[in-house]
Amino acid sequence: MPTFADRLAEAVRQKGPLCVGIDPRWESLPKAIRDPLRDELPEERAAIGYFEFGRKVLELVRPFSGVVKPQAAFFEQIGPNGMEMLQLLLREARLLGFVTVLDAKRGDIASTATAYADAAFAGCTVDGDSFPVWDADALTVNPYLGRDAVEPFLTAAKKADRGTFVLVRTSNPGAGLFQDLVCNGQPVYRHVAAEVANWNAPTRGACGLGDVGAVVGATHPKELAELRAAMPDVWLLVPGYGAQGGTAADVKVAYRPDGLGAIVNSSRGVTFPFHPDDPDWEAKIVAAAQKAAAELKP
Amino acid sequence: MPTFADRLAEAVRQKGPLCVGIDPRWESLPKAIRDPLRDELPEERAAIGYFEFGRKVLELVRPFSGVVKPQAAFFEQIGPNGMEMLQLLLREARLLGFVTVLDAKRGDIASTATAYADAAFAGCTVDGDSFPVWDADALTVNPYLGRDAVEPFLTAAKKADRGTFVLVRTSNPGAGLFQDLVCNGQPVYRHVAAEVANWNAPTRGACGLGDVGAVVGATHPKELAELRAAMPDVWLLVPGYGAQGGTAADVKVAYRPDGLGAIVNSSRGVTFPFHPDDPDWEAKIVAAAQKAAAELKP
């Protein structure tokens, strides 16, 4: 099996750097999906709606994107039924050939981190019987707890040929509160970036990039360019393009000269470019995905 | 309804500062629970085992502890069925009168953070119908993403009379990698502590403490004493006592003179003081909880 980095490189070579974020919200779903569910219990209505919508999005964006990123929070918001739909949707995405990034921003220490990592990658083993849980190609990870909290994710990813994306510089307006504190002449996020570059170095695949990626927001183009240079062999997952305000020009600084090196996420911009009443919602998703893919071409 | 801080104060006044962590692991469960499940599918075997064990732990530790902290990672590890058992166990704990802390270390930006916070506290609303998800009294939150990522948790907690515990200085050996970087003469964790103290100030209840707590490890007693002084009105959730190496003497620096101010977590030490074959596992849990409660008495 090729490394995670090489599978991601292949997806980007084939379809470009667009990563489609799947962030379902009940009130935003097309009426065409919500109305037939009106007699279901609310917990099931939401879960079925999220799956139906997510599956449709996968089909519609497939010509324009090789990577999808479901956001765990929105599935967790509707409870255990939602988590089941997250699992089904990740499987569906994999079967359709997508590289899947589970955006869960997990982080904990020692065997607790291993539990999250096993859920994400290898699955669970009970009395010698194994079953998959999320079975994602990559997981987003929060670094605040330090090296021994990140390492279980890296170890589990390595064993299962998967990847991680460590939060370095996030896309929100208040990201700098702790990330920009300057220590020994460098902001905290640069210290995190230096660790990521070290963790990544021994994992480089044929494409020249490794399996330990970094999350760097599109909303801070200066930091994005600086971090591209500081971590030349690290895959960047770039949120904040589109609805959050980052432009295609802003994010292109994240590409390496070979056109690889970054995947650029759009969630609302691609998946909710319609009003819930709109009968043309599918065509609008296709158009939004096509436009984003064209804009983002290296 | 009393504030979260006041409910926690009442629990600590009645039963002392011991918080029992529920971190189930299949291989550690008593054979008496595992064996009757041997014909179930592995996913269901683990889920039922975790619930049966967790429920038993709640009953057994109830005389010695008023606060329980299920660790989301171990339930996630066994998939959506596990998340359902986490939900049932949190409900069971609440019905038995425990204050519940969901240890999920969530963190994300804007409406994504709100989705996690709604799952934790208010529940989910679909077409005007609401249903609870985790319905926990408090949630652990990771601060790396900054103020606008923490605020949705604080807002949701305030609306529902719940609490948060923000990671400040964690108990793992490598916690210092980023948390101890020195910026403007203070380590990063002190910058986080200063923000927590500010967020907490307007939430103080009758007990004098507020609803925005801090996670500070018992394994670093010097930092624990320093942080107690730096955040005098902040509830501290102190992990690392027992199996991780922190002693009762180490953690007592976290108490205020009135005996309030800290809950001290023990997971393995209280819930797994037996070999899986041991027929006396229940008595051993009772003895371990009793010993921990006595040791930790302010």
Side-chain angles (χ1 to χ4, degrees):
Chain A
M1 188 172 186
T3 67
F4 167 71
D6 287 344
R7 285 182 283 135
L8 191 57
E10 191 48 34
V12 171
R13 280 191 201 103
Q14 282 187 18
K15 307 261 176 91
L18 175 63
C19 166
V20 175
I22 305 197
D23 297 22
R25 291 143 210 253
W26 178 255
E27 299 301 330
S28 303
L29 295 189
K31 286 265 173 69
I33 285 181
R34 276 152 59 189
D35 285 350
L37 297 171
R38 76 171 77 80
D39 297 330
E40 305 288 337
L41 290 172
E43 295 89 324
E44 288 169 14
R45 203 182 317 158
I48 301 168
Y50 282 21
F51 179 69
E52 289 302 321
F53 178 68
R55 200 165 59 93
K56 202 47 148 167
V57 167
L58 295 175
E59 265 176 53
L60 297 171
V61 306
R62 200 176 171 202
F64 313 106
S65 169
V67 191
V68 289
K69 181 177 79 62
Q71 170 51 259
F74 295 107
F75 295 90
E76 178 166 321
Q77 187 177 18
I78 59 170
N81 287 328
M83 302 308 272
E84 200 178 334
M85 294 303 136
L86 172 62
Q87 188 179 45
L88 293 178
L89 208 58
L90 280 162
R91 188 170 67 191
E92 193 81 9
R94 209 166 35 252
L95 292 173
L96 288 169
F98 287 99
V99 172
T100 58
V101 180
L102 176 58
D103 193 0
K105 300 188 173 63
R106 294 297 189 250
D108 212 303
I109 69 170
S111 62
T112 311
T114 301
Y116 279 129
D118 283 346
F121 305 135
C124 183
T125 301
V126 172
D127 298 331
D129 292 321
S130 291
F131 52 92
V133 178
W134 310 130
D135 209 1
D137 289 300
L139 177 74
T140 56
V141 171
N142 186 311
Y144 184 70
L145 285 83
R147 182 180 292 122
D148 53 340
V150 175
E151 273 172 355
F153 291 99
L154 307 183
T155 304
K158 193 183 163 68
K159 258 196 228 162
D161 284 313
R162 312 295 170 101
T164 50
F165 286 98
V166 178
L167 302 183
V168 171
R169 186 63 170 77
T170 56
S171 62
N172 51 316
L177 181 67
F178 306 122
Q179 296 168 26
D180 289 356
L181 287 172
V182 175
C183 314
N184 304 325
Q186 297 265 31
V188 167
Y189 72 80
R190 285 296 300 269
H191 291 269
V192 179
E195 294 293 334
V196 170
N198 283 338
W199 293 327
N200 180 64
T203 70
R204 273 177 295 203
C207 67
L209 293 139
D211 297 334
V212 185
V215 175
V216 183
T219 43
H220 313 280
K222 195 175 76 53
E223 286 88 342
L224 183 56
E226 176 201 327
L227 287 164
R228 170 73 292 163
M231 300 183 285
D233 307 326
V234 170
W235 272 108
L236 305 183
L237 165 58
V238 183
Y241 158 73
Q244 285 183 57
T247 68
D250 289 336
V251 303
K252 287 190 182 176
V253 298
Y255 304 163
R256 307 199 318 171
D258 61 4
L260 299 177
I263 51 174
V264 180
N265 186 72
S266 178
S267 302
R268 277 167 290 170
V270 165
T271 64
F272 289 116
F274 56 83
H275 187 275
D277 288 323
D278 194 333
D280 291 335
W281 63 277
E282 297 186 32
K284 289 196 174 156
I285 291 177
V286 170
Q290 186 163 28
K291 179 168 174 286
E295 264 191 18
L296 293 173
K297 224 179 199 128
Chain B
M1 191 171 181
T3 67
F4 168 70
D6 287 343
R7 284 183 284 135
L8 191 57
E10 189 49 32
V12 171
R13 280 192 203 104
Q14 280 188 19
K15 307 262 177 94
L18 175 64
C19 166
V20 175
I22 305 195
D23 297 23
R25 292 142 208 253
W26 178 255
E27 299 301 330
S28 303
L29 295 190
K31 286 263 172 71
I33 285 181
R34 277 151 59 190
D35 286 350
L37 298 171
R38 77 171 75 78
D39 296 331
E40 305 289 336
L41 291 172
E43 295 89 325
E44 288 169 14
R45 203 183 316 159
I48 301 169
Y50 281 20
F51 179 70
E52 289 300 323
F53 179 68
R55 201 165 58 94
K56 202 47 152 164
V57 167
L58 295 176
E59 266 177 51
L60 297 172
V61 305
R62 200 178 172 204
F64 314 106
S65 169
V67 191
V68 289
K69 180 176 79 61
Q71 170 51 258
F74 295 107
F75 295 90
E76 178 165 322
Q77 186 177 20
I78 59 171
N81 287 330
M83 303 308 272
E84 200 179 334
M85 294 302 136
L86 172 62
Q87 188 179 45
L88 293 178
L89 208 57
L90 281 162
R91 188 170 66 190
E92 193 80 9
R94 209 165 35 252
L95 292 173
L96 287 170
F98 286 99
V99 172
T100 58
V101 181
L102 175 58
D103 194 0
K105 299 186 174 64
R106 295 297 190 249
D108 212 303
I109 69 172
S111 63
T112 311
T114 301
Y116 279 130
D118 283 347
F121 304 137
C124 183
T125 301
V126 172
D127 298 330
D129 292 321
S130 292
F131 54 91
V133 178
W134 310 129
D135 208 2
D137 289 298
L139 177 74
T140 56
V141 170
N142 187 312
Y144 185 69
L145 286 82
R147 183 180 291 121
D148 52 340
V150 175
E151 273 172 352
F153 290 99
L154 307 184
T155 304
K158 192 182 163 67
K159 256 197 230 161
D161 283 314
R162 312 294 171 102
T164 51
F165 286 97
V166 178
L167 302 183
V168 171
R169 185 64 170 74
T170 56
S171 62
N172 52 317
L177 181 66
F178 306 122
Q179 295 168 27
D180 288 357
L181 287 171
V182 175
C183 315
N184 304 325
Q186 297 266 31
V188 167
Y189 72 79
R190 285 297 299 269
H191 291 268
V192 179
E195 294 293 335
V196 170
N198 284 338
W199 293 326
N200 180 63
T203 70
R204 271 177 297 201
C207 68
L209 293 138
D211 297 334
V212 185
V215 176
V216 182
T219 45
H220 312 280
K222 194 175 77 51
E223 286 88 344
L224 184 55
E226 177 200 327
L227 288 164
R228 170 73 293 162
M231 300 183 284
D233 307 326
V234 170
W235 273 108
L236 305 183
L237 165 58
V238 183
Y241 158 73
Q244 284 184 56
T247 68
D250 290 336
V251 303
K252 287 189 181 177
V253 300
Y255 304 163
R256 308 200 316 172
D258 61 3
L260 299 177
I263 51 174
V264 180
N265 185 72
S266 178
S267 301
R268 276 168 290 171
V270 165
T271 63
F272 288 116
F274 55 82
H275 186 275
D277 289 323
D278 195 333
D280 290 334
W281 64 277
E282 297 185 33
K284 288 195 174 156
I285 291 177
V286 170
Q290 186 164 29
K291 179 167 174 287
E295 263 190 18
L296 293 173
K297 229 185 194 117

